[in-house]
Amino acid sequence: MSRRAADIEPFRVMDILARAQALQAAGRDVIHLEVGEPDFPTPAPIVEAGIRALRAGQTRYTPALGLPALREAIAAYHQRRHGVAIDPARIAVTPGASGALLLAVAALFDPGEQLLMADPGYPCNRHFARLLEVEAVGVPVDAASRFQLTAAAVERHWGPRTRGVLVANPGNPTGTVIPRSELAAIHAQVRARGGWLLVDEIYHELIQGRDEPGALSLGEDVVVVNSFSKYWCMTGWRLGWMVLPAELMPAVERLAQNLFLAAPTPAQHAALAAFEPATLEILAGYKETLRARRDMLVPALRALGFEIPVQPEGAFYVYAGLGGLAADGEAFARRLLEEAGVAVTPGRDFGRHATKAHVRFAYTASRDHLRQAAERIAVWSARASAP
Ligand SMILES: Cc1ncc(COP(=O)(O)O)c(C=O)c1O
């Protein structure tokens, strides 16, 4: 086995999921708050478009950068939603944001170069970097910076081998947003050093309560990753996209041709219905449901003794400090599952900086289930701490 394969850490949440499923198979009732995918169905207009495409025999490869009609639809969406005009030729349709992130790291960085990213943060990014012999530098972040990178942190950590910065806005596992002025300051720092700024906006449509402009409005040199997985509830369809500076497109096209050939064809046809008014109406309803869940779960967790110093503003995650409840998130998650039937993700999945003392709750379950989960935790922790 290669050294690079040996260096890829397991995704601990998958162990929790497997154990939760085994318990369920044995008849136990488990509330799933561990996996980061919406519990809502893909909106019907998208499903219908996918079925129509399959029936019409749309099962062969598309061009490597995606169906021209989908690239145009994505460009029109950016124009409508954020008022930013983008040439569809700058859009690459990819197998999820995962495909986009892999392509971006492959296209932009050489072995030995460094890419700054927040710790805690989405774990696969540092593994994509490792695979390509790029050094992921985890920059410790905490509540003081809303668990996000700042321009000052970028300046402090930029070294002679640093070539770029990757942020997720909002972030996973914290659901916190980089304020617009800070993102612009990060962009200015990166630009001044001749590096690349990559912004993962997979949760951007799930920012609650306000309209945040996307990173594309910062300039044409920003690489913006997005996906149909989360907001559009299409995790299993494996479809995302990326907007890049025009001069990178030939390289990204060559990489896409060789790595993936193309994104899944039925999914691309289905996604043509993603921006229809009927679809957007369904998604607005889902988003409102998520807001109501967050507004219930965060105070309930705080009342149980979890520490949530920054209100999550987007995505569907709460990153909770264990405070006096426990010292080790992994042991806590295991016991919570075995003894109370509630599955959560250990913070350790998301990096090294104080992650051991955290767990992540994904509110991808109904409010009834969230309420039950809070009750189970209350009863369990009262019992666990009883003399
Ligand atoms: C921040 C972030 N980026 C990218 C991804 C990958 O998403 P997908 O490949 O399903 O589009 C995820 C999935 O959880 C994520 O949380």
Side-chain angles (χ1 to χ4, degrees):
M1 187 176 60
S2 68
R3 266 178 293 137
R4 71 170 67 82
D7 280 354
I8 305 293
E9 286 179 59
F11 213 173
R12 290 168 181 79
V13 65
M14 299 318 280
D15 295 340
I16 296 275
L17 178 63
R19 181 64 190 146
Q21 286 167 339
L23 287 173
Q24 279 178 306
R28 283 278 300 280
D29 178 44
V30 174
I31 301 176
H32 287 275
L33 307 180
E34 77 280 45
V35 182
E37 65 180 340
D39 53 320
F40 310 122
T42 304
I46 299 177
V47 174
E48 293 306 322
I51 292 170
R52 277 198 308 276
L54 286 169
R55 291 229 160 89
Q58 301 286 5
T59 54
R60 301 187 170 185
Y61 298 133
T62 69
L65 293 179
L67 282 177
L70 182 57
R71 297 168 77 195
E72 276 162 29
I74 292 169
Y77 155 77
H78 280 291
Q79 170 82 58
R80 254 195 336 271
R81 190 69 185 79
H82 300 297
V84 186
I86 297 165
D87 183 349
R90 288 177 53 211
I91 295 172
V93 175
T94 55
S98 306
L101 287 159
L102 183 62
L103 281 176
V105 178
L108 297 177
F109 306 109
D110 274 318
E113 293 184 340
Q114 291 180 337
L115 174 59
L116 307 183
M117 52 187 77
D119 178 352
Y122 179 60
C124 302
N125 291 327
R126 65 178 189 275
H127 296 143
F128 291 142
R130 171 64 190 92
L131 202 63
L132 295 160
E133 315 284 347
V134 173
E135 195 182 322
V137 176
V139 177
V141 292
D142 56 25
S145 66
R146 317 182 60 71
F147 294 99
Q148 287 280 12
L149 290 184
T150 59
V154 167
E155 189 174 11
R156 260 197 323 278
H157 286 86
W158 196 284
R161 288 187 291 125
T162 312
R163 293 290 177 274
V165 172
L166 169 58
V167 298
N169 199 29
N172 178 6
T174 59
T176 53
V177 175
I178 307 179
R180 173 71 181 174
S181 55
E182 194 63 48
L183 190 60
I186 293 173
H187 178 228
Q189 282 283 352
V190 175
R191 185 186 262 179
R193 288 169 164 76
W196 293 103
L197 175 61
L198 283 66
V199 184
D200 179 349
E201 294 194 337
I202 189 168
Y203 299 109
H204 197 266
E205 281 289 2
L206 289 171
I207 297 175
Q208 298 285 358
R210 67 194 150 95
D211 243 357
E212 186 75 16
L216 284 169
S217 55
L218 291 173
E220 293 205 355
D221 58 336
V222 182
V223 174
V224 177
V225 169
N226 214 320
S227 173
F228 291 99
S229 283
K230 312 287 175 160
Y231 181 60
W232 282 270
C233 303
M234 294 178 69
T235 44
W237 298 76
R238 308 309 306 130
L239 199 66
W241 75 89
M242 176 163 56
V243 185
L244 299 131
E247 70 268 22
L248 291 176
M249 296 314 289
V252 167
E253 183 169 17
R254 286 196 307 276
L255 284 164
Q257 287 166 344
N258 283 280
L259 290 177
F260 312 121
L261 300 180
T265 303
Q268 293 191 59
H269 283 276
L272 287 171
F275 308 110
E276 285 176 4
T279 305
L280 296 177
E281 202 182 311
I282 294 167
L283 296 175
Y286 289 171
K287 182 172 171 177
E288 181 52 26
T289 302
L290 288 175
R291 189 198 56 74
R293 290 176 182 177
R294 178 199 63 180
D295 291 350
M296 198 216 89
L297 183 65
V298 170
L301 292 177
R302 284 184 175 139
L304 287 167
F306 291 97
E307 292 171 353
I308 306 163
V310 186
Q311 171 77 354
E313 297 166 275
F316 30 72
Y317 304 121
V318 181
Y319 187 61
L322 293 169
L325 293 167
D328 179 68
E330 256 180 273
F332 178 87
R334 246 192 331 269
R335 282 194 60 197
L336 191 64
L337 174 59
E338 298 291 336
E339 296 167 23
V342 178
V344 301
T345 305
R348 188 64 187 77
D349 258 353
F350 304 101
R352 294 178 191 284
H353 178 63
T355 50
K356 220 178 123 184
H358 287 81
V359 291
R360 186 194 72 178
F361 292 82
Y363 43 93
T364 48
S366 70
R367 274 205 290 170
D368 264 358
H369 277 123
L370 294 174
R371 210 172 286 120
Q372 274 179 43
E375 281 163 14
R376 286 186 192 185
I377 296 171
V379 170
W380 174 74
S381 60
R383 211 174 43 221
S385 62

